[in-house]
Amino acid sequence: WLSVSEILAVSSNICTTKIYERLDKQRLYEWVQRFHFGERPPVELSGATAGVLAPWQKWSDIQGANVSFGQGMTASPLQVAAAFSVLANGGIYNPPTIVRQVIDTEGASIPLDRPEPERVVRISTADTVLEMLESVVHTKLGTGKSAAIEGYRVAGKTSTAQKANHKDGG
């Protein structure tokens, strides 16, 4: 038996699956979507991708469990960074951007049409999860100890990547 903090620290897929089983497919899907997985980030990069997140109604029990620990879906590094930034920003999702300002030929700033920041989780929830993610780096059990930087608060999450192999159809 592990606490949620310990589950994150040791990166337990089994325990994450047990949490998923208590949530159900639809609730997990809704939470994954709240962090904007499965949609293209509104960033000024033509190659930005939505990743792959199948509708929850199409998930098998195994796929739902896999989504719970991040292997039943795909996400770009930008999407992952934007999701982690929700926690660092007190629960607010700020759509990623690389353009600060556009200036016309007269030197005037052209207003940009950007999505508004939105609250994804409460501040207290973001703070709690950040503390848990720090335990991944700063505790004896944590699997991310090598990311620690003396004098800095570092939070993180380790995982086991699984690459799609298009040669065999997977």
Side-chain angles (χ1 to χ4, degrees):
W1 292 96
L2 300 172
S3 68
V4 175
S5 186
E6 291 168 329
I7 291 167
L8 289 173
V10 301
S11 196
S12 173
N13 293 353
I14 292 169
C15 290
T16 305
T17 298
K18 287 181 179 186
I19 293 171
Y20 151 72
E21 288 172 345
R22 295 184 84 178
L23 280 175
D24 77 44
K25 293 174 190 175
Q26 183 176 356
R27 285 181 63 201
L28 175 60
Y29 179 81
E30 289 168 358
W31 275 103
V32 170
Q33 277 198 310
R34 285 185 74 168
F35 281 84
H36 294 267
F37 289 108
E39 68 181 54
R40 185 188 181 283
V43 67
E44 304 85 358
L45 297 169
S46 61
T49 179
V52 176
L53 178 64
W56 69 269
Q57 298 90 335
K58 294 184 177 185
W59 294 358
S60 66
D61 289 337
I62 298 294
Q63 185 176 4
N66 286 345
V67 168
S68 78
F69 52 82
Q71 290 189 358
M73 56 184 274
T74 65
S76 70
L78 179 62
Q79 288 173 302
V80 173
F84 271 97
S85 75
V86 168
L87 304 172
N89 292 324
I92 302 291
Y93 175 83
N94 289 294
T97 184
I98 60 168
V99 175
R100 180 186 305 172
Q101 184 178 31
V102 175
I103 308 274
D104 68 16
T105 56
E106 305 296 317
S109 180
I110 298 173
L112 299 171
D113 183 27
R114 292 202 171 122
E116 291 294 316
E118 67 180 270
R119 176 154 304 283
V120 175
V121 296
R122 293 185 304 260
I123 294 171
S124 61
T125 302
D127 289 346
T128 299
V129 175
L130 272 178
E131 286 177 23
M132 291 177 178
L133 293 171
E134 285 182 77
S135 74
V136 173
V137 177
H138 297 288
T139 65
K140 187 176 181 179
L141 284 176
T143 54
K145 291 185 287 288
S146 62
I149 301 171
E150 191 172 331
Y152 290 89
R153 290 178 64 190
V154 178
K157 176 66 189 85
T158 62
S159 65
T160 304
Q162 187 173 28
K163 295 180 182 178
N165 182 348
H166 295 289
K167 291 180 184 176
D168 65 6

